[in-house]
Amino acid sequence: MPTHSDGDSRVTMRQVAEAAGVSVTTVSHVVNRKPGARIGEDARHRVLAAVEALGYRPNALAKTLVKGRSPFIGIVADSIASTPFAGQIVRGAQEEAWKRGYVLLVANTEGNAVAEEQAISMMLQYNVRGILYSRWYHHRVLPPSLLDEVSTVLVNCYDERGQLPAVVPDEEQGGAEAARLLLEAGHQRIAFVNTTSASPAQSCRLAGFRRALTDVDIPVDEALIWQTEPDQEGGFAIADQVISSGVTGVCCHNDRVAMGMYDRLRERGLVVPRDVSVVGFDNQEVIAGHLHPPLSTVALPHYELGAAGVRALLGEEPLPHDGTRRVSCPPVRRDSVLKRD
């Protein structure tokens, strides 16, 4: 059996046919596993042997054009490399796609509009089954017009026009879970530290907090709801107000705010959770799992967002009437909440 020695050129179907002593049509039927094709076992074995010896790889794009079904799903994300969350979205989408026989084409644009347009154009040329359009944090977007040419599901963002389906975290349910971490431990006088930045996380987490208190007949004290910058410095700056309010527990907008809260409490000689129980949000592992004590928090379901996006794209899960699937944010119990009698 001849072997292909030129590693710089692509092995063609014609070369396989010549090596196996059969027609190109026969090779095509074998490698594409065409149902009903009448091919003798000897010829089939010769073709497969030639394929292996020559290192022939079928042209996936050509197969797509012939069969009308693409083996590719695209994902266009704005910040895979620089954020801890986006990679989990891609991983969830990739593993879900792979289970269903699809390969994920990933484009990381870092928010560059030109790179984004080029990536989508390339995916359209490959006749992708559809595209997941993902952002690293949950907010409204105006999707590129090129996405109108292909089935698209937004992941961790939503269409301000209300036209494209979306898969997003259930921020309100997550805010309720954060409050319940304290309520179920016996806390009744609890505070909420929100962000100053308008977003679904800002409005919906607070709504969930309010709902959780109302569900157990605890009045919402507006004097115990504050806003601060959504970072460590913001948590540090607001901590004195939390301390002077006399609350026994506080829900923070995110884990970074909680980290700043820890810093100021420690500086004031107070101990978490003995003096104040603290709950975060995001479950940013590099923070939450390594604070002292480890932080109780609520996880953003990034892996499941990616997986659910693929299922929605393939039509396997009917979307709600508003076109938006909200994925639950699970509570993560660690040691920053003290059970009260």
Side-chain angles (χ1 to χ4, degrees):
M1 174 80 59
T3 59
H4 180 65
S5 58
D6 184 359
D8 295 329
S9 61
R10 185 182 181 90
V11 177
T12 67
M13 195 174 288
R14 183 171 298 279
Q15 288 172 304
V16 174
E18 292 173 354
V22 298
S23 68
V24 173
T25 300
T26 297
V27 173
S28 176
H29 288 171
V30 172
V31 298
N32 291 309
R33 300 178 182 177
K34 184 174 181 178
R38 296 182 178 180
I39 301 171
E41 283 303 306
D42 180 62
R44 185 183 302 276
H45 287 312
R46 293 204 312 274
V47 169
L48 294 176
V51 165
E52 182 176 358
L54 297 175
Y56 172 74
R57 292 182 182 176
N59 187 316
L61 181 56
K63 289 173 68 176
T64 294
L65 296 174
V66 171
K67 295 185 175 183
R69 178 185 181 277
S70 172
F72 303 120
I73 290 173
I75 181 167
V76 177
D78 61 344
S79 197
I80 297 171
S82 56
T83 67
F85 302 141
Q88 284 298 307
I89 292 176
V90 172
R91 180 167 162 259
Q94 180 173 279
E95 293 185 1
E96 199 72 12
W98 187 254
K99 291 176 189 175
R100 288 155 175 75
Y102 290 91
V103 174
L104 199 68
L105 300 180
V106 181
N108 177 36
T109 66
E110 293 297 334
N112 183 298
V114 174
E116 190 171 84
E117 185 173 340
Q118 291 174 341
I120 295 171
S121 295
M122 179 272 292
M123 291 175 181
L124 292 176
Q125 290 174 24
Y126 273 79
N127 195 30
V128 291
R129 172 65 177 77
I131 292 177
L132 302 180
Y133 184 80
S134 177
R135 307 288 86 174
W136 78 267
Y137 76 97
H138 180 193
H139 63 287
R140 67 179 182 179
V141 297
L142 180 60
S145 58
L146 277 174
L147 292 177
D148 294 338
E149 300 180 26
V150 66
S151 296
T152 300
V153 172
L154 306 185
V155 177
N156 208 31
C157 57
Y158 61 97
D159 186 355
E160 65 178 30
R161 306 166 304 173
Q163 295 179 5
L164 293 177
V167 177
V168 299
D170 192 337
E171 304 277 10
E172 183 171 341
Q173 171 267 334
E177 292 290 356
R180 291 188 192 111
L181 286 171
L182 293 167
L183 294 170
E184 291 172 1
H187 296 263
Q188 295 193 7
R189 185 170 171 77
I190 61 179
F192 188 90
V193 176
N194 208 354
T195 177
T196 56
S197 306
S199 67
Q202 182 200 48
S203 58
C204 295
R205 292 177 191 178
L206 177 56
F209 173 85
R210 293 179 185 277
R211 175 163 57 85
L213 267 63
T214 302
D215 286 347
V216 294
D217 298 321
I218 294 178
V220 177
D221 188 343
E222 299 297 330
L224 300 182
I225 298 173
W226 298 283
Q227 289 187 344
T228 192
E229 294 299 316
D231 52 29
Q232 186 174 2
E233 290 74 16
F236 189 94
I238 203 68
D240 284 341
Q241 293 184 58
V242 173
I243 294 166
S244 64
S245 71
V247 298
T248 63
V250 56
C251 293
C252 297
H253 174 74
N254 62 28
D255 295 343
R256 290 174 295 157
V257 171
M259 180 165 57
M261 186 76 61
Y262 268 50
D263 292 341
R264 183 57 177 158
L265 288 169
R266 186 177 301 111
E267 195 172 88
R268 290 281 301 270
L270 301 176
V271 177
V272 176
R274 184 193 68 194
D275 298 303
V276 181
S277 292
V278 180
V279 173
F281 206 109
D282 290 350
N283 194 32
Q284 193 167 341
E285 183 61 31
V286 69
I287 296 174
H290 298 283
L291 289 175
H292 298 284
L295 178 66
S296 294
T297 186
V298 176
L300 283 170
H302 291 100
Y303 179 95
E304 180 55 26
L305 289 175
V310 168
R311 294 194 297 270
L313 188 68
L314 298 177
E316 296 184 3
E317 292 182 354
L319 290 168
H321 69 279
D322 65 354
T324 300
R325 176 167 302 287
R326 292 168 178 84
V327 180
S328 295
C329 303
V332 181
R333 292 173 172 81
R334 295 194 179 95
D335 300 328
S336 64
V337 174
L338 178 69
K339 186 171 181 60
R340 297 177 64 84
D341 297 329

